[in-house]
Amino acid sequence: MLTSPELKRIPIFSCLDDANLMWLSQQVADLHLERGEYLIHEGELTPFFVVMNGTTEVLKDVMGRRTEVSEHKSGDFFGELAILMGSAAPASVRAKTVCHVARLDSQHLQELIRRSPECSAVILQTLNERVQVVQKYMLSLPSTRVQIAGSKFDDDCREIRTFLSMNRIPYEWVDRDRSSQPTSGNPACNVEGISVIVDDSFCVSHPPSVRKVAEALGFQTAPYQQTYDVVIIGGGPAGLAAAVYGASEGLSVLLVERKAPGGQAGTSSRIENYLGFPNGVSGDDLSQRAFRQAVKFGAEVVLTREVQKVIPRSTGGYAIGLDGEERVITRTVILATGVAWRRLEADGVDRFIGRGVLYGAARTEAPTVAGRQVFIIGGGNSAGQAALFFADYASSVTMLVRGEGLEHSMSQYLIDQIALAPGIRVETETQVVSAHGTDCLKAIETQKAGKPVIRRAADALFVMIGADAVTHWLPPQLRRENGYVRTGREVTDQPGWAADRPPFPLETNLPGFFCVGDVRYNSIKRVSSSVGEGSMAIAFVHQYLSLTA
């Protein structure tokens, strides 16, 4: 406990009389930190801190990089900016040396300001100075980390832009179909096809790829170890939840994701029915929070890598074969690969994939549809979220729904929002018959039940008509139903379970091999249920490991 004499030695408290010092000593928390311990993380609600002894460093995530922006020494205070502005912490703070820190809750800071005009003057003056410093700091920041030049019809260019967007890396894109503007004064970077420049200095070698860009930005793209307690395949909500809970409970965790964290959910513009976010949360925001949380607890998250083989070992556990002939060993596996969009069976559609026809709806497509006519095939939540998002950019958005309405496939809150959106039209009992154009999509033909075929101009067609599980690459003995992986009681209903115990819920017919999320047979296709299954799987992993120890 901090005493009145100790508090009196701190400049901000030196003006307090004995009664207020006594009151303060009863409210303040006495913290002792080792070097590297965090006081507050960026984005959290923050109390008010005073450094009694030692030095803290202020760290901010600037475009995907953790950067030290300032420090606090003995006698300094901080936290008043977020409290008095009613905002979250603008940066993280951790101990740079061994530190002794006093902490005051926001309620007690406001009471201190009310009790002492002298303290109030110091705090408000410092607040004003910090607001000016923040303004200057923000003006000094570059607006982008990556510059890209490439065609909107180039699949690699689209993949790079999607990867950057889902990882919250600001970028500037020059569409070479519209502009011949060079991206750099370096002639080596101004090549045919795609060029990518990182931090205004590093030119990614030609031809650029998502992995090369990820490595240039400092993302982990290869495992650090050879053996793990659990390897998680897939970085959607289920996989990220498993990584967070597994690492936080002391397991050595490797998560392998071939694109970017978030999966299909990561492309959702706004998820409004997820617990704890009454105003909604974008898929990439939710994914990035989970990604940072997993890494904070010590999980290895390897991006831009693909698991190509899972091989049961005779001695127990599994060998995981990654692309590039790399292999790691794990005691357990959690499959969380999600599903792939189902292909549209219509004449001419395949000719325009990536050239006006796209499966799914990444937010990075917003610039490509600005002022254009957009069609979305599908009546599920993903299609509804995409329609609402693109309506802010496109001249028109038309949803083509095969069924009689949206009520059986879409959440009511989305139906209500779509009904109020003037730029969205919903056409039921309608399907696409064919697609037309030369170099890119220019028109589609649609047919409503019992009506003649109609040809209409179309600049973009987003296909979201359900999904299929892509599991052909998994061990042949793994039990599946139409590609979806069977677990729990569904395993014991058929031959193939060899262990002398019933399978754990979420466990496949291969002991120690678990399956969660959309790829699991009979799963509920919602973000919240995927997160729940990912966290539950870790509890069963612990139970399995205790049996095999």
Side-chain angles (χ1 to χ4, degrees):
M1 175 179 173
L2 287 163
T3 63
S4 295
E6 287 177 303
L7 293 171
K8 185 76 172 179
R9 290 197 294 269
I10 302 300
I12 188 177
F13 300 140
S14 61
C15 59
L16 296 177
D17 58 28
D18 290 344
N20 279 325
L21 282 170
M22 178 60 69
W23 168 83
L24 184 63
S25 69
Q26 294 170 349
Q27 312 304 328
V28 72
D30 186 9
L31 307 182
H32 295 269
L33 305 174
E34 296 297 321
R35 184 177 181 275
E37 279 192 78
Y38 277 87
L39 274 169
I40 190 71
H41 290 276
E42 182 176 348
E44 295 178 342
L45 295 178
T46 178
F48 180 70
F49 295 102
V50 180
V51 181
M52 307 295 290
N53 267 305
T55 303
T56 67
E57 55 185 348
V58 181
L59 305 170
K60 186 165 182 61
D61 285 331
V62 181
M63 302 181 187
R65 290 179 299 184
R66 177 147 292 189
T67 307
E68 181 178 348
V69 295
S70 65
E71 60 183 25
H72 301 298
K73 297 184 178 297
S74 297
D76 291 342
F77 61 85
F78 56 94
E80 82 296 332
L81 177 64
I83 293 172
L84 298 179
M85 299 290 285
S87 62
S92 302
V93 180
R94 72 180 178 189
K96 194 171 186 177
T97 66
V98 173
C99 286
H100 182 197
V101 179
R103 185 187 69 206
L104 202 62
D105 292 338
S106 59
Q107 171 188 347
H108 295 130
L109 172 65
Q110 293 167 343
E111 176 67 13
L112 176 64
I113 291 173
R114 190 188 68 79
R115 283 172 174 255
S116 171
E118 295 86 354
C119 275
S120 175
V122 173
I123 291 169
L124 294 178
Q125 177 61 33
T126 303
L127 171 66
N128 182 57
E129 292 171 356
R130 283 188 176 144
V131 168
Q132 295 179 32
V133 169
V134 169
Q135 289 175 334
K136 291 179 181 178
Y137 176 73
M138 294 306 295
L139 289 173
S140 69
L141 288 176
S143 59
T144 181
R145 279 197 69 190
V146 181
Q147 296 170 294
I148 309 169
S151 169
K152 68 181 179 181
F153 299 130
D154 190 300
D155 290 338
D156 290 333
C157 183
R158 180 180 294 108
E159 289 287 333
I160 292 171
R161 290 187 289 116
T162 300
F163 175 81
L164 294 172
S165 178
M166 291 181 68
N167 283 287
R168 294 289 185 89
I169 304 295
Y171 67 90
E172 179 183 358
W173 170 48
V174 174
D175 184 353
R176 283 196 164 144
D177 295 326
R178 297 185 180 184
S179 172
S180 58
Q181 171 188 342
T183 55
S184 170
N186 183 351
C189 296
N190 297 316
V191 295
E192 291 295 326
I194 313 171
S195 66
V196 180
I197 302 165
V198 176
D199 294 330
D200 205 29
S201 58
F202 179 76
C203 182
V204 177
S205 62
H206 193 75
S209 66
V210 170
R211 187 175 302 171
K212 289 179 182 178
V213 173
E215 290 170 348
L217 291 166
F219 287 100
Q220 183 179 349
T221 60
Y224 293 148
Q225 304 175 53
Q226 289 298 310
T227 60
Y228 295 88
D229 292 324
V230 57
V231 168
I232 302 163
I233 307 171
L240 288 168
V244 168
Y245 286 97
S248 67
E249 294 176 12
L251 297 176
S252 59
V253 176
L254 173 67
L255 185 151
V256 183
E257 166 56 47
R258 63 190 181 92
K259 291 185 177 179
Q264 287 185 7
T267 65
S268 296
S269 55
R270 179 176 291 183
I271 303 169
E272 294 188 66
N273 58 352
Y274 189 73
L275 182 69
F277 293 90
N279 298 320
V281 59
S282 68
D284 60 348
D285 187 15
L286 184 64
S287 302
Q288 280 302 302
R289 289 170 182 255
F291 171 72
R292 291 196 298 269
Q293 199 173 11
V295 172
K296 166 190 167 184
F297 286 126
E300 287 187 40
V301 181
V302 171
L303 303 180
T304 73
R305 298 298 296 273
E306 185 173 9
V307 174
Q308 297 181 332
K309 294 179 181 179
V310 177
I311 305 170
R313 304 175 74 222
S314 59
T315 55
Y318 297 86
I320 306 296
L322 281 66
D323 59 310
E325 303 299 323
E326 193 163 6
R327 179 176 290 195
V328 296
I329 303 300
T330 180
R331 299 170 69 190
T332 60
V333 175
I334 297 177
L335 182 70
T337 50
V339 290
W341 291 112
R342 188 170 298 144
R343 293 290 173 172
L344 175 65
E345 299 294 334
D347 291 342
V349 166
D350 288 349
R351 288 177 52 214
F352 303 113
I353 293 176
R355 307 184 72 81
V357 175
L358 295 169
Y359 287 88
R363 298 174 70 191
T364 47
E365 296 304 321
T368 71
V369 303
R372 298 178 180 271
Q373 298 178 79
V374 171
F375 289 82
I376 298 172
I377 308 178
N381 280 7
S382 295
Q385 291 163 351
L388 290 165
F389 177 70
F390 287 138
D392 293 335
Y393 298 88
S395 62
S396 67
V397 175
T398 303
M399 296 185 67
L400 305 175
V401 182
R402 190 170 186 173
E404 297 179 354
L406 298 173
E407 291 76 16
H408 297 298
S409 57
M410 186 180 293
S411 296
Q412 188 62 45
Y413 79 93
L414 285 171
I415 296 175
D416 295 341
Q417 291 181 26
I418 288 170
L420 296 174
I424 302 176
R425 180 180 177 182
V426 179
E427 297 184 14
T428 58
E429 298 181 290
T430 303
Q431 50 189 317
V432 172
V433 176
S434 58
H436 303 274
T438 51
D439 295 333
C440 60
L441 180 71
K442 291 296 184 184
I444 60 173
E445 289 186 336
T446 63
Q447 186 173 30
K448 190 175 178 68
K451 303 289 184 180
V453 172
I454 300 174
R455 187 182 180 102
R456 54 179 80 183
D459 298 303
L461 179 66
F462 294 95
V463 184
M464 309 172 82
I465 56 172
D468 293 317
V470 182
T471 57
H472 62 274
W473 57 276
L474 289 166
Q477 62 268 43
L478 188 70
R479 304 295 304 184
R480 278 159 278 203
E481 184 74 24
N482 296 323
Y484 291 88
V485 178
R486 288 179 170 272
T487 58
R489 286 181 297 179
E490 294 158 352
V491 169
T492 55
D493 291 342
Q494 298 182 4
W497 177 254
D500 57 357
R501 59 172 177 83
F504 294 113
L506 306 180
E507 189 175 22
T508 71
N509 65 299
L510 301 180
F513 190 124
F514 299 85
C515 181
V516 297
D518 289 357
V519 72
R520 189 177 68 81
Y521 182 62
N522 276 341
S523 66
I524 299 172
K525 307 299 190 285
R526 287 290 184 269
V527 172
S528 55
S529 61
S530 292
V531 169
E533 288 187 11
S535 57
M536 286 169 55
I538 292 300
F540 301 133
V541 165
H542 277 293
Q543 293 181 49
Y544 173 82
L545 292 177
S546 68
L547 294 175
T548 58

